[in-house]
Each structure stands twice: as C-alpha cells, then as structure tokens.
Amino acid sequence: MKSLKLIGLAFGASIALSSAAFAQDVTVAVAGPMTGGESAFGRQMKNGAEMAVADINAAGGVNGKKLALSVEDDACDPKQARSVAEKIASAKMPFVAGHYCSSSSIPASEAYADGNVLQITPASTNPKFTDSGLWNVARVCGRDDQQGLVAAQYIAKNFKGKNIAILNDKTTYGKGLADETKKALNKAGITEKMYESYNKGDKDFNAIVSRLKRDNIDLVYVGGYHQESGLILRQMRDQGLKTILMAGDALADKEYASITGPAGEGTLFTFGPDPRNKPTAKKIVDAFKAKNIDPEGYTLYTYAAMQVWSQAAKKAGTTDAKKVMAAIKAGKWDTVIGPIEYDAKGDIKQLDYVVYKWDAKGGYAEIKGNGT
C-alpha cells in the first residue's frame, strides 16, 4: 500500500511539474479571417504562423520558453476584430500577427495599444494603420500609397490614351487603395472616365459592367477583394467585354482563379516580390510543400512577422511589448522574405511592389521589365 501511495505521489508530482512547465509557455496569437469571404487569406496566415512557431520552438523557443499559438477569427469584421483584440489583451499575450483586412487591423490596434500587445500585420496595407502614431504597430508588407503608385505607373505606361475606370468596395482597404491609385494616375495626367463604388459582398455587377461597356473602358482598376473582383471579371466576359481587370494584393490567392476559371487570364495585380522565389525562403518553402501546402500570398509574410518578433524578443531579453518594439525599430532582422528594417512609424524600408499577371492555368507570374 505504501508503495502505491508513493507511486501516486510521484505521478501527481509529475503532472504538477508538466502543468507548471506548460503554464510558463508564452502564448502568442495570429488573428485574421479564419471564416467568411476572405478565409483563404486567414488560412495563409494560420499556415505561416503555425510553421513559424514550430520552427522557433524547435530552435529552442524564445528566452528559454516555448511558444504556444492562439488562432483567432475576426472574419474581416471591424467589431469582431476589436473583440478579438480585447480577448488577446486580457489574456496578456505579448504579440499578435494580424490582422488581414485593414478595416480590422486599425480598430484592433487601439485595443492592443491599451492592453500592451505588440501587433505586426502581415497584410494590412492602409497607410492609416501606421500613420496613427500608435507605439505598438508595425507591418511586414507595404502600403497602399506604394502599390497604388506602382499600379498607376504601369497603367500610365501601358494604357496611355486608353479609357480607364476605377471601382472600389467602400472598405478601408478597397477605397483606400483605389483612391491612392486614382491620385497617382491624376498626378501623371490621366483622368479616369468612370469612378464607381459597390458593396463588399455584392454578387450582381451587371449594372456596373453595362457602364463599362457603354464607356468603352479598356482597363478597370478594382480596389477590393478577390471574390468581387472575380465576379466582375466573369460578368464582363459574359457581356463580351475584353476589358483588362487590374487590382491590388488581395488577388494573391488561387481562389481568384477558381472563381474566374480560364477567363481570369490576363488579370493584373500588384504585390511584393514573390517571397517563394527568394533564396532565404527555399528551406521553408520546401517544408511547406512537404506538407502539401503552397505558401502563397501572405503565408510567408506571417512567418516573417513571427520571426521579427521572436528575434527582437531575444535581443531585448524580454517579451514586454514596449521593449520588444524598441528593439524592432532599432534593429535589422533576417526573415524568410529577406532582411527587414523599420522606420519610426513601423513601416518597412525595403519593399518594392511589382505587377503580376494571371494565366489561363490558374497561376500568376511577375511581369518582368514592366516599366514601373
């Protein structure tokens, strides 16, 4: 009986020790649209975060502690994003890689600032995110005033004298990007023939397509997400329009091709240089492919956000958000998407946008020598 008691005590002690070890893990978060219309991008973010956490832990963790990952869903809804941010802050998580939609990242950032959470977005490109002056925000992607300029330069060079239309979905991201592109086009001496809005989630664009047809539009620039862009493209082709559709980085997912089919061939969009092709990414890309995951779009950007935070936390010797952010802005970080340095606002210094074109097989490639 005594030996059984000893075994029981030993077993209980081992459980207590393992529970204590687990309690000392540092929980970090990835937040984005795990459900809803933009869930393809939430899946990219989740894949990138999970792989990064696994790799960081395999290399010894952060300051002697392993990372645990909390996956949070904002469905690209501003109110839900704010609730997610308050949940993460109340749980005292020191870091979040998120969000995807700018309309989520911006309101969430205020709750994170109040709750002492450092936020690095892999994908939110609206300038307001970092222009707000909050101490806790940074990104590993570019800004809409950068990609809007690149889009405008491409249009000015390749569609000079043609009829241009600009559409936007009224969201923080979509309207912001459309307005930045319009501003840069107007500065280049090009005035759009049509500027129109629609609602995110709309399915029927025949009225807008009829206007495009009436005005003989050669290129329509869409500030919006891939689902609506795909439907606009299909409905243009249904009405016999050969109008080129161009958009921003929200088209960087194969789901766009699943919406358009072969009709999507020739669609243009702006995005950073594809990190899958960088030497810094080869080992990690191979690891993703071994799991039958294509690390497209923002997968590797999310991985990079985790890398920046973990490296800075090690350098600072703490996960305290303010001290880690000070380290981030003072340092240079080696990531899967290349070396990253920050300005005082939390924007990266190195990213250049390029123009991509979708092909009939459901793939996209950078247009070399595009004159931007």
Side-chain angles (χ1 to χ4, degrees):
M1 182 68 73
K2 186 175 181 181
S3 61
L4 287 174
K5 285 182 179 179
L6 288 172
I7 291 169
L9 288 169
F11 181 68
S14 69
I15 291 174
L17 285 170
S18 63
S19 298
F22 179 80
Q24 290 178 15
D25 284 352
V26 176
T27 301
V28 295
V30 58
M34 305 303 158
T35 61
E38 312 313 320
S39 60
F41 293 97
R43 183 175 62 251
Q44 291 176 4
M45 294 172 68
K46 180 175 179 286
N47 287 339
E50 286 179 341
M51 180 76 83
V53 166
D55 289 347
I56 291 165
N57 284 341
V62 175
N63 298 333
K65 295 182 180 181
K66 295 295 180 74
L67 300 182
L69 181 66
S70 176
V71 179
E72 303 293 339
D73 178 26
D74 66 15
C76 269
D77 175 78
K79 290 182 180 178
Q80 192 164 325
R82 176 85 191 196
S83 295
V84 164
E86 290 171 352
K87 174 186 173 183
I88 290 170
S90 66
K92 300 190 183 304
M93 299 182 204
F95 170 67
V96 58
H99 297 225
Y100 171 69
C101 292
S102 294
S103 57
S104 292
S105 281
I106 293 170
S109 65
E110 299 167 357
Y112 291 134
D114 292 342
N116 204 37
V117 180
L118 194 157
Q119 177 188 10
I120 301 179
T121 175
S124 295
T125 52
N126 190 282
K128 292 178 184 177
F129 176 70
T130 46
D131 286 352
S132 65
L134 292 177
W135 65 268
N136 64 317
V137 296
R139 50 181 143 211
V140 291
C141 57
R143 295 164 49 111
D144 288 334
D145 45 5
Q146 294 170 322
Q147 69 170 323
L149 175 61
V150 169
Q153 289 173 338
Y154 182 89
I155 294 168
K157 179 179 178 181
N158 295 281
F159 291 86
K160 187 177 182 180
K162 302 291 185 179
N163 294 326
I164 309 298
I166 300 175
L167 307 178
N168 79 81
D169 67 357
K170 302 179 185 177
T171 67
T172 303
Y173 164 74
K175 188 174 188 306
L177 180 55
D179 287 349
E180 291 293 347
T181 304
K182 171 180 162 60
K183 186 193 305 180
L185 272 175
N186 294 166
K187 191 173 181 180
I190 296 173
T191 301
E192 69 282 357
K193 196 166 184 180
M194 172 182 165
Y195 185 94
E196 187 62 71
S197 298
Y198 60 88
N199 293 310
K200 188 175 184 299
D202 283 353
K203 306 293 185 187
D204 185 354
F205 296 96
N206 282 300
I208 286 177
V209 171
S210 294
R211 285 193 60 191
L212 296 173
K213 190 173 185 178
R214 182 196 68 194
D215 290 346
N216 297 313
I217 299 300
D218 297 292
L219 179 140
V220 56
Y221 185 86
V222 181
Y225 293 92
H226 69 296
Q227 289 194 323
E228 291 80 17
S229 296
L231 293 174
I232 291 168
L233 188 282
R234 279 177 50 186
Q235 290 169 37
M236 286 198 304
R237 298 298 179 259
D238 288 345
Q239 288 198 32
L241 274 71
K242 295 182 179 179
T243 305
I244 299 295
L245 186 144
M246 185 175 193
D249 52 321
L251 264 60
D253 187 274
K254 287 187 173 64
E255 198 170 274
Y256 175 76
S258 71
I259 295 168
T260 64
E265 181 180 11
T267 297
L268 305 170
F269 69 98
T270 46
F271 192 50
D274 193 337
R276 291 175 297 182
N277 299 329
K278 294 190 175 185
T280 52
K282 187 180 186 309
K283 182 179 177 181
I284 295 160
V285 168
D286 288 345
F288 274 112
K289 288 182 177 178
K291 294 176 175 287
N292 294 315
I293 295 172
D294 179 4
E296 64 176 336
Y298 286 104
T299 307
L300 297 178
Y301 284 82
T302 308
Y303 190 107
M306 288 284 180
Q307 285 182 304
V308 170
W309 175 81
S310 62
Q311 290 174 31
K314 289 176 186 176
K315 187 168 185 178
T318 178
T319 57
D320 177 77
K322 290 184 179 178
K323 292 178 181 177
V324 175
M325 181 56 85
I328 285 173
K329 291 181 178 178
K332 183 175 182 179
W333 313 104
D334 292 322
T335 78
V336 67
I337 63 174
I340 288 178
E341 288 183 274
Y342 284 93
D343 64 16
K345 292 191 295 187
D347 289 317
I348 62 174
K349 298 178 180 180
Q350 297 85 358
L351 188 87
D352 293 317
Y353 280 94
V354 294
V355 179
Y356 293 83
K357 180 185 284 188
W358 279 96
D359 60 36
K361 296 180 180 179
Y364 58 81
E366 179 184 340
I367 301 174
K368 301 294 184 180
N370 58 46
T372 60

